[in-house]
Amino acid sequence: MNEPHLTDREVECVAACVKTGWVSSSGPLIEEFEQKWGQYCGRQYAVSVCNGTAALQTAVAGLRLDAGDEVIMPTFTIISCASAILYDAGTPVLVDADPRTWTMNVEQIANKITSRTKAIMVVHIYGHPVDMDPIIALADRHGLAIIEDAAEAHGAEYLAGRNTASPQWKRCGSFGTASCFSFYANKLITTGEGGMVLTDDPKLADRFRSLRNLYFQPERRFAHAELGFNFRLTNIQAALGLAQFERMDQIVAKERWIGHEYTKRLEGIPGLQLPVEESWAKSVYWMYGVVLSKDTGMDALGFAKKMADRGVDTRPFFLGMHEQPALKRRGLFQDERYPVAERLAKQGLYLPSGLGLTEEQLAEVVEAVREVLQ
Ligand SMILES: Cc1ncc(COP(=O)(O)O)c(C=O)c1O
């Protein structure tokens, strides 16, 4: 579905790291990886962590929520977003998905702001940026933090200030009070498992570093002023990340090629909604998703079976947070309905989108889609 693209260079860098003996969370490669990733995203401070879920947890914990403080987030995302808020005793407040981009419906946010709202969590879904301008304006007006989840959007860009005299393309990961990444094996850049939190606030960066490392104090080892986590990334993982990062432009170009090529070849097949790329966005098509219309008489599950019969693996879309048994059992989101997210969850799935995908394989996938739908 989305296999990592690993070369001799990765083997060389990891082997060289192992030979130095710096295999744990001390070692020069961690800072180098943080510095390069932070710079790539245009940020002052970067704190690596052990996965994307931990990045979100660190970012939310960094805000020091009081019990019951609210964070507005999309229902259509991964559960890590909601769990990060809940672990910190916050309350996730949901908005539906946008029917075009599948990212959060920006127009629904204002109505969800209350005196308890502390932050807006934005998630760039499947490599397409969220429309950030209105969110930044709302956050500024109400004094809210922005937690940006760019786990799926390495290298994606957003045209900030498109209604101003000086619009500017900016990378995803450059917008949050805290911006989070995952480097899981199916992401554009991988460290096996890994993540990062970016910020421009030096105090917040210090807090993230403390939270990552059990809140050790410099004054007295083993005296802890607060409870932290062990979310450390290792030097070996950083070595892998640095080797991957050398090919960043190539990786982004390949993912964009896959996205555009699928769209070119699938356009016109009836019953299929394809991903959009808004004029203000440069998507990286982390996963190439399609949504089946109900007239096909099929849901994603039925379609996936027929694709599997033709030797093509697919994956279903996210299930909205308001439909998650684990969250409903906590009494959350009772009777809340988000029709767009519900339709996406039922009718959406993604096609093979890995960096190793060849033109021939892509053509085979398209042929299988055509056979199933025509
Ligand atoms: C949008 C989003 N956020 C967070 C995560 C969590 O990342 P990880 O799997 O590294 O914990 C993922 C994982 O796929 C994701 O897609």
Side-chain angles (χ1 to χ4, degrees), residues 50-56 76-81 122-126 149-153 180-187 192-195 286-287 318 350:
C50 56
N51 57 58
T53 303
L56 287 162
F76 188 69
T77 184
I78 193 161
I79 199 155
S80 313
C81 299
V122 302
V123 189
H124 307 297
I125 297 287
Y126 303 152
D149 183 349
E152 304 179 352
C180 302
F181 286 91
S182 160
F183 301 115
Y184 182 67
N186 65 8
K187 301 302 187 292
E193 296 280 353
W286 168 64
M287 290 288 184
F318 291 129
Y350 34 84

Side-chain angles (χ1 to χ4, degrees), residues 216-221 223 225:
F216 277 111
Q217 300 297 293
E219 303 82 33
R220 168 66 171 91
R221 187 104 180 138

Side-chain angles (χ1 to χ4, degrees), residues 3-248:
E3 78 282 12
H5 188 240
L6 302 170
T7 69
D8 287 347
R9 180 68 181 146
E10 278 80 349
V11 176
E12 193 184 301
C13 292
V14 170
C17 170
V18 173
K19 282 184 188 154
T20 66
W22 293 101
V23 294
S24 203
S25 58
S26 296
L29 302 177
I30 297 168
E31 255 179 54
E32 189 183 338
F33 184 46
E34 290 174 338
Q35 193 248 330
K36 287 197 167 143
W37 193 255
Q39 196 172 45
Y40 179 75
C41 297
R43 304 307 297 262
Q44 300 282 321
Y45 305 98
V47 180
S48 60
V49 289
C50 56
N51 57 58
T53 303
L56 287 162
Q57 219 177 314
T58 305
V60 173
L63 299 182
R64 300 180 193 275
L65 297 182
D66 289 324
D69 280 350
E70 296 169 2
V71 178
I72 299 173
M73 60 169 283
T75 189
F76 188 69
T77 184
I78 193 161
I79 199 155
S80 313
C81 299
S83 61
I85 298 164
L86 290 163
Y87 285 142
D88 211 41
T91 302
V93 173
L94 304 179
V95 297
D96 204 353
D98 178 282
R100 279 174 61 78
T101 62
W102 311 331
T103 58
M104 74 200 295
N105 184 323
V106 172
E107 285 166 15
Q108 293 181 359
I109 297 174
N111 278 340
K112 298 273 177 145
I113 296 175
T114 70
S115 58
R116 300 302 312 261
T117 309
K118 285 289 174 313
I120 303 171
M121 183 184 279
V122 302
V123 189
H124 307 297
I125 297 287
Y126 303 152
H128 192 288
V130 175
D131 190 4
M132 292 303 304
D133 281 351
I135 293 178
I136 293 166
L138 271 178
D140 283 351
R141 193 170 330 133
H142 295 273
L144 307 176
I146 294 178
I147 295 175
E148 183 184 10
D149 183 349
E152 304 179 352
H154 302 183
E157 292 179 47
Y158 173 75
L159 187 63
R162 64 183 180 275
N163 296 322
T164 67
S166 49
Q168 195 193 352
W169 286 101
K170 292 178 74 178
R171 291 218 165 96
C172 288
S174 62
F175 297 102
T177 314
S179 300
C180 302
F181 286 91
S182 160
F183 301 115
Y184 182 67
N186 65 8
K187 301 302 187 292
L188 267 74
I189 289 277
T190 187
T191 54
E193 296 280 353
M196 193 92 79
V197 192
L198 308 180
T199 183
D200 294 326
D201 177 338
K203 286 209 180 90
L204 210 45
D206 276 348
R207 178 154 163 81
F208 294 154
R209 281 189 208 101
S210 298
L211 282 165
R212 163 181 73 179
N213 191 22
L214 299 171
Y215 243 96
F216 277 111
Q217 300 297 293
E219 303 82 33
R220 168 66 171 91
R221 187 104 180 138
F222 300 115
H224 306 265
E226 289 195 38
L227 295 182
F229 314 102
N230 176 357
F231 283 167
R232 302 182 297 250
L233 190 81
T234 69
N235 207 39
I236 306 181
Q237 290 168 305
L240 186 54
L242 282 165
Q244 294 257 291
F245 184 70
E246 288 175 6
R247 295 199 305 280
M248 192 61 204

